[in-house]
Amino acid sequence: MTINVSDADGRHRSPFRAFARRALALGGAGLVSVTGVVALSGSAQAAGTTLGAAAAGSGRYFGTAVAANHLGESGYATTLDTEFNAVTPENEMKWDAVEGTRNTFNFSNADSIVSHAQSKNMKVRGHTLVWHSQLPGWVSGLAATDLRTAMNNHITQVMTHYKGKIYAWDVVNEAFQDGSSGARRSSPFQDKLGDGFIEEAFKTARSVDPAAKLCYNDYNTDGVNAKSTAVYTMVKDFKARGVPIDCVGFQSHFNSNSPVPSDYQANLQRFADLGVDVQITELDIEGSGTAQATNYGNVVKACLAVTRCTGITVWGIPDKYSWRASGTPLLFDDNYGKKAAYTAVLTALGGTSGGGTTDPGTGGGGTDPGTGTKTCTATYTATQTWQGGFNGQVTVKAGSAAITAWSVKVTLGAGQTTTGVWNGTTAWDSTGKVMTVTPSYNGSLAAGASTSFGFTVQANGNTAAPTVSVCTAS
Ligand code: G3I
């Protein structure tokens, strides 16, 4: 498995990239069999049956990053409008997008997101006013005095344009270094204005729109570590000295190299105890199936356990539009089907499925007329490969009716043998190539819910995906 490739900022990026490519190649040969697929469309708007409604049940919002250029895609807009009650423009409010040329402001793309959100009664998180990245060259070239003027002017113009329309602003983004130093990151602002640029930005922001919550937002600050402690120390100091700050955003970009920390909730709580709101601002978790779902559920539970955790934003809607699409880190597949991670989030929020799922991506056809027929689908994913073998995982998903048992047939390729099966009980046919897998403990699934089993394959030169077929439910 490939681990941790840094991006241009020397920052986190999909550790799964190479693996995902391999998995995709294998997955192409993996077969999904269907005995009936729920294809209920339409929007379940009743309380608690969508992410937004379920979150609202505890007074929180559930948001997503939105890109203006996707709003015209019907699946995108429908999913946004049905499931979410908050948005963050993914790129459209950044400095390079709104003030690429000094004092010439272009708000058109950001405006389209804000007006869409307003028409649907969604909160808007403003992202972001002062950040070292996506910063036009003219800003980096300014000398200190001029840079201070430009920074305060940028904050003033942008916040004035959106005054009264923004729930919370990421006033300063990613100002601290990774690692153990606890130091501020080198940037034009830091290098020319010193540590004081952060509080100056917050003071300016407060003076422009006193009603907006003012947040500091960062990544790799999700658990208790040197970087989060440096931010904690700054926030504590701001609160002690009356520097205006209302909230801290925890981006929460997770993958195998940067997993959900075990002290995630404790870290949120220690910030909340300083007297600020905490928000999960850019959540995405690379992976698939049950493992991904479990991680998502745990993040949501951590937020719900912290009174001042006021909302969660995921960093995009379908996997295909994620900034790290190959890691399939989001709640909806490329066809806007709800993934197991979606169900885990909805359940953790206290919501319930609205009586069906929209998951054209895993079925390949078939419509369950909603007669209560017990059905399931089985989807194969390669989860790990190495020279000589691989691990496979099959996600079993109940259709529109709850089931108490399932059975899936897996046929190995020529030369392949298995050396272990987990979360399933196997019966082999006389050829030793076809196993029928039934639940070991995980037979009962609510409508639309998923479980998975896995197995290790000795490839013996054949790395093709095993054929997964015939999911039957009772
Ligand atoms: O729009 C241009 C397009 O015209 C051009 O042809 C193309 C060629 O590269 O680039 C397009 O812009 C890209 C933009 O996303 C819109 O898709 C930029 O190259 C690309 O760098 C930019 O990436 C964004 C990234 O921030 C930049 O740092 C991601 O979409 C966005 O999800 C990501 O979001 C950040 C948060 O703001 C802060 N926290 C981390 C998070 C993930 O990196």
Side-chain angles (χ1 to χ4, degrees):
M1 183 176 296
T2 317
I3 297 291
N4 201 24
V5 182
S6 290
D7 68 9
D9 302 353
R11 298 213 299 97
H12 49 179
R13 181 177 269 189
S14 170
F16 291 127
R17 210 167 285 271
F19 156 65
R21 250 184 256 121
R22 264 179 275 138
L24 271 177
L26 288 169
L31 212 153
V32 177
S33 179
V34 188
T35 56
V37 173
V38 184
L40 300 181
S41 56
S43 44
Q45 292 283 13
T49 63
T50 67
L51 301 172
S58 69
R60 293 174 171 84
Y61 64 84
F62 201 95
T64 178
V66 164
N69 61 342
H70 300 316
L71 285 174
E73 185 184 325
S74 68
Y76 188 91
T78 301
T79 307
L80 169 63
D81 296 347
T82 304
E83 292 289 344
F84 298 94
N85 56 10
V87 300
T88 304
E90 186 173 359
N91 288 297
E92 293 77 354
M93 282 185 180
K94 292 172 179 175
W95 198 315
D96 64 352
V98 299
E99 195 190 3
T101 303
R102 190 168 191 175
N103 248 325
T104 301
F105 288 85
N106 177 357
F107 294 112
S108 55
N109 287 333
D111 282 355
S112 71
I113 295 174
V114 173
S115 52
H116 185 102
Q118 285 193 307
S119 74
K120 305 292 178 189
N121 235 352
M122 298 172 178
K123 283 183 162 61
V124 181
R125 294 195 80 264
H127 176 79
T128 172
L129 293 166
V130 182
W131 187 28
H132 66 276
S133 184
Q134 288 175 285
L135 188 65
W138 68 263
V139 184
S140 319
L142 299 178
T145 308
D146 214 4
L147 178 63
R148 172 170 280 114
T149 305
M151 179 183 84
N152 288 321
N153 182 57
H154 180 77
I155 294 169
T156 303
Q157 298 301 325
V158 178
M159 288 188 73
T160 300
H161 182 80
Y162 290 112
K163 192 168 178 173
K165 298 179 177 175
I166 304 294
Y167 162 70
W169 270 106
D170 290 331
V171 178
V172 176
N173 195 42
E174 302 177 4
F176 283 79
Q177 260 180 39
D178 286 326
S180 59
S181 71
R184 310 286 166 105
R185 174 199 294 274
S186 169
S187 73
F189 306 106
Q190 180 66 34
D191 300 349
K192 292 171 188 167
L193 306 181
D195 287 358
F197 89 87
I198 302 181
E199 69 181 86
E200 181 161 348
F202 275 85
K203 286 173 182 165
T204 302
R206 178 69 95 226
S207 73
V208 180
D209 186 355
K213 287 183 181 285
L214 306 182
C215 302
Y216 175 79
N217 189 50
D218 215 328
Y219 69 92
N220 281 355
T221 49
D222 311 301
V224 177
N225 57 40
K227 186 175 177 184
S228 66
T229 298
V231 175
Y232 177 88
T233 304
M234 177 188 76
V235 174
K236 191 174 180 187
D237 171 58
F238 279 14
K239 293 300 283 184
R241 292 192 294 112
V243 176
I245 184 165
D246 307 305
C247 37
V248 177
F250 298 84
Q251 294 186 9
S252 306
H253 293 293
F254 297 123
N255 55 34
S256 66
N257 184 59
S258 177
V260 181
S262 56
D263 52 10
Y264 189 62
Q265 182 185 321
N267 190 49
L268 296 177
Q269 187 65 59
R270 73 169 175 155
F271 278 85
D273 290 345
L274 291 175
V276 289
D277 288 347
V278 294
Q279 298 170 355
I280 296 170
T281 51
E282 303 182 16
L283 177 63
D284 55 13
I285 307 177
E286 292 187 309
S288 63
T290 309
Q292 184 182 46
T294 303
N295 282 325
Y296 261 107
N298 288 341
V299 167
V300 171
K301 285 177 203 159
C303 177
L304 294 190
V306 175
T307 307
R308 292 199 72 155
C309 182
T310 56
I312 299 171
T313 300
V314 288
W315 206 239
I317 302 175
D319 282 331
K320 64 183 174 183
Y321 294 143
S322 165
W323 68 295
R324 45 185 188 175
S326 65
T328 61
L330 297 174
L331 302 179
F332 294 88
D333 67 27
D334 291 353
N335 299 311
Y336 300 96
K338 296 167 180 172
K339 295 166 57 180
Y342 170 93
T343 308
V345 168
L346 184 65
T347 304
L349 288 170
T352 50
S353 166
T357 63
T358 308
D359 201 350
T362 57
T367 298
D368 183 334
T371 53
T373 310
K374 294 180 177 183
T375 62
C376 59
T377 59
T379 310
Y380 174 78
T381 320
T383 53
Q384 218 175 6
T385 60
W386 57 89
Q387 191 152 18
F390 55 90
N391 282 340
Q393 177 178 289
V394 175
T395 299
V396 179
K397 183 174 180 180
S400 61
I403 63 175
T404 53
W406 46 263
S407 164
V408 175
K409 199 163 95 176
V410 179
T411 304
L412 299 179
Q416 295 177 342
T417 56
T418 59
T419 54
V421 177
W422 53 94
N423 298 340
T425 304
T426 51
W428 290 91
D429 78 345
S430 57
T431 68
K433 285 288 170 204
V434 183
M435 59 174 171
T436 299
V437 184
T438 51
S440 43
Y441 61 89
N442 43 354
S444 291
L445 295 174
S450 305
T451 188
S452 66
F453 64 86
F455 46 86
T456 298
V457 175
Q458 296 276 38
N460 293 320
N462 180 4
T463 55
T467 301
V468 176
S469 58
V470 192
C471 190
T472 53
S474 57

